[in-house]
Amino acid sequence: MKALVKRGPGEGLDYADVPLPVPDRHDVLVRVLRTGICGTDLHIFEGNAWAARTVSTPRVIGHEFVGEIVEVGAGVGGLLPGQLVSAEGHLTCNSCVNCRADRKHLCRAAEGLGVQRDGAFAEYLALPAESVWVHRPGVPLDVAAMFDAFGNAVHVADTFPLRDRTVLVTGAGPIGAMATAVAAHRGARLIAVSDLSPSRLQLARRAGAHLTVQAGQEPLEAAALGQEQGFDVGFEMSGNPSAQSDLIAAMAHGGRIAVLGLPDEEVPTDWSDISLRMLTIQGISGRKVFDTWHTMNTLLDEGLDLSFAVTDHFDARDWEKAFATAAQGDSGKVILDWAPRD
Ligand code: NAD
Ligand code: ZN
């Protein structure tokens, strides 16, 4: 089968023939239909310091996918060939304290699909049945392909109550934009979003942002945005150090921040400012397994429309163009098709 493979250190990927994965008795084999390109995949393509440290090679990369089950292992119950599925991309150890207390998103030993285990940028993927999420009929395939990223957005947006609150979002990449859409759906009174890229600010407006701020050109100050008291809730979705400090400065006393963004390096923090203004800063990793996934279904059932978030799709053979588009940082989610679109 064809797959996108990281061979070793340095930049690049290889679109190559690799053996079909063989599912063990607790696995399912999935025919991959569509995959989403995530920042993680771009880092693995670049071969940055994180990737060099973390990705064992050779490795089939990718974790955002939708596909169809084609085979179930002898020890698997409750799953059937033909079901449309995605999966939780953090494969947990099931023996640490958090896993055993059903807080799998806090597993200390989780392995990443497409990072430490062969992933989804391939025609077929074998993975543990317990990680599989079965979609409802009717979910758009492009949305299903990015359920993992949608889950990050929902995990952030549902960390603090939002109804009638003011929300400031730094970073309108695909995940920041989807978190904006969830905040609008949850009834936030005012949502302001900052980004460097005008087209990403447009994405944020399509998601339901009331105000947008072009970072670096316009001030990200609460007063300038008509919020003299500061914002109630912040979502840090950029990983950019100056966005992080601007966000902290723009919060109300007692404000609450959910942080998803991952800076490349350590960022100095003024702890006394956090103490004296009684800010709450909550780190967010992954998705709650599977609470967040159930919430995603509920949001779609309630009519949350994510069609704005997917802006580009490419045949997997054109993966280089797809990666270049995603790396430009102006698009929404970029989808790779591993099977023809009907
Ligand atoms: P992305 O890189 O597509 O989007 C980040 C956005 O931040 C970009 O549009 C960029 O222009 C913007 N940005 C950069 N500097 C800025 C500034 N000073 N002010 C405002 N905006 C600025 O990323 P994404 O896929 O949407 O993911 C969002 C973040 O979440 C990334 O940092 C990613 O690494 C991180 N992430 C974390 C987890 C987790 O489990 N914690 C999971 C997925 C992604
Ligand atoms: Zn664990």
Side-chain angles (χ1 to χ4, degrees), residues 160-330:
F160 302 116
L162 298 177
R163 175 157 295 283
D164 296 329
R165 308 290 163 95
T166 56
V167 181
L168 180 56
V169 182
T170 48
I175 306 180
M178 285 192 275
T180 299
V182 178
H185 185 85
R186 293 278 185 240
R189 177 158 63 81
L190 179 121
I191 308 167
V193 181
S194 74
D195 202 290
L196 300 169
S197 152
S199 54
R200 288 208 153 163
L201 292 176
Q202 207 172 13
L203 201 66
R205 283 192 289 274
R206 290 216 294 278
H210 305 102
L211 289 173
T212 54
V213 178
Q214 190 159 358
Q217 302 205 6
E218 297 171 314
L220 190 74
E221 283 167 16
L225 299 170
Q227 302 303 311
E228 282 72 14
Q229 300 292 315
F231 285 85
D232 300 321
V233 177
F235 300 163
E236 207 309 291
M237 312 298 275
S238 76
N240 181 280
S242 67
Q244 294 179 331
S245 53
D246 288 351
L247 177 61
I248 289 174
M251 298 307 292
H253 286 221
R256 297 158 155 194
I257 302 175
V259 182
L260 187 83
L262 303 171
D264 290 336
E265 68 252 16
E266 284 182 28
V267 181
T269 305
D270 180 355
W271 285 98
S272 59
D273 184 38
I274 293 168
S275 308
L276 293 172
R277 291 199 291 136
M278 289 189 68
L279 301 180
T280 301
I281 298 185
Q282 172 71 60
I284 301 292
S285 176
R287 300 140 296 278
K288 287 188 181 158
V289 188
F290 278 92
D291 313 34
T292 307
W293 296 77
H294 285 289
T295 306
M296 290 187 258
N297 269 8
T298 307
L299 286 163
L300 295 180
D301 287 348
E302 288 170 0
L304 179 75
D305 182 3
L306 294 178
S307 52
F308 72 89
V310 177
T311 53
D312 300 86
H313 55 85
F314 295 86
D315 187 284
R317 282 168 296 197
D318 295 326
W319 68 272
E320 282 172 294
K321 281 189 221 156
F323 271 64
T325 303
Q328 251 165 9
D330 285 324

Side-chain angles (χ1 to χ4, degrees), residues 92-100 104 106-110:
T92 53
C93 77
N94 294 342
S95 58
C96 73
V97 169
N98 281 323
C99 279
R100 298 202 60 181
K104 293 190 176 188
L106 298 175
C107 176
R108 295 171 67 98

